[in-house]
Amino acid sequence: MSITSISSTTASTSQDRLNNINQLKLEKKTIEAQIAKLQATKSKDNETTIKTLQKQADQIEKQIEQLQNASSSTGQTNNTNKAASTPSLNEKSGPAYQTSLSDAGLNALNTAQDQKNTADQTTANATLSNLVNGVQ
């Protein structure tokens, strides 16, 4: 395997890690939003669910930390390989784009999902009502 292919493989692995980190952050925010909704309504069932969700959020945070630590140690190795190789287009000019989801974007996503769920429930209720009333 040539040094150039090692460098490009490392670069793609770094991008994969970044994508995984962003995905995990999104999952954590979703869980935190679920926890906030459950905390708004106090019940014993919610407390158990909240504890379970909090454990999931903590596990996700640990995974994020592991990926970030792996990225920083890989970055040091990656710099050594880059010095001996011809830089790829991505290394010369940086990635074409990066994606991440802001808090506002997550809120918009959650709002859209809530609206879809409400619309689906309304449709289901209307269909059930029609069936009960004998309208087809």
Side-chain angles (χ1 to χ4, degrees), residues 34-90:
Q34 290 173 340
I35 290 172
K37 285 180 182 179
L38 290 172
Q39 287 175 335
T41 56
K42 300 282 182 176
S43 81
K44 289 184 180 181
D45 292 335
N46 286 355
E47 290 176 22
T48 304
T49 306
I50 289 170
K51 287 179 184 177
T52 302
L53 289 172
Q54 188 59 50
K55 286 180 184 176
Q56 289 176 355
D58 292 342
Q59 289 173 345
I60 289 172
E61 183 61 34
K62 287 178 185 176
Q63 289 176 335
I64 291 170
E65 288 174 10
Q66 289 173 348
L67 286 170
Q68 287 172 336
N69 289 339
S71 294
S72 62
S73 66
T74 302
Q76 293 168 355
T77 305
N78 196 12
N79 288 339
T80 305
N81 290 338
K82 286 180 186 177
S85 67
T86 305
S88 68
L89 180 60
N90 200 24

Side-chain angles (χ1 to χ4, degrees), residues 10 23 29 31 53 64 80 102 117 127:
T10 305
Q23 180 64 34
K29 285 183 181 184
I31 289 172
L53 289 172
I64 291 170
T80 305
S102 67
N117 291 343
T127 302

Side-chain angles (χ1 to χ4, degrees), residues 83-131:
S85 67
T86 305
S88 68
L89 180 60
N90 200 24
E91 293 166 341
K92 288 180 185 175
S93 59
Y97 62 90
Q98 288 184 336
T99 59
S100 64
L101 190 59
S102 67
D103 290 337
L106 179 61
N107 290 338
L109 182 64
N110 288 336
T111 301
Q113 186 63 43
D114 290 344
Q115 289 172 347
K116 181 187 178 301
N117 291 343
T118 302
D120 289 348
Q121 187 62 44
T122 302
T123 303
N125 289 342
T127 302
L128 181 61
S129 176
N130 288 339
L131 289 173

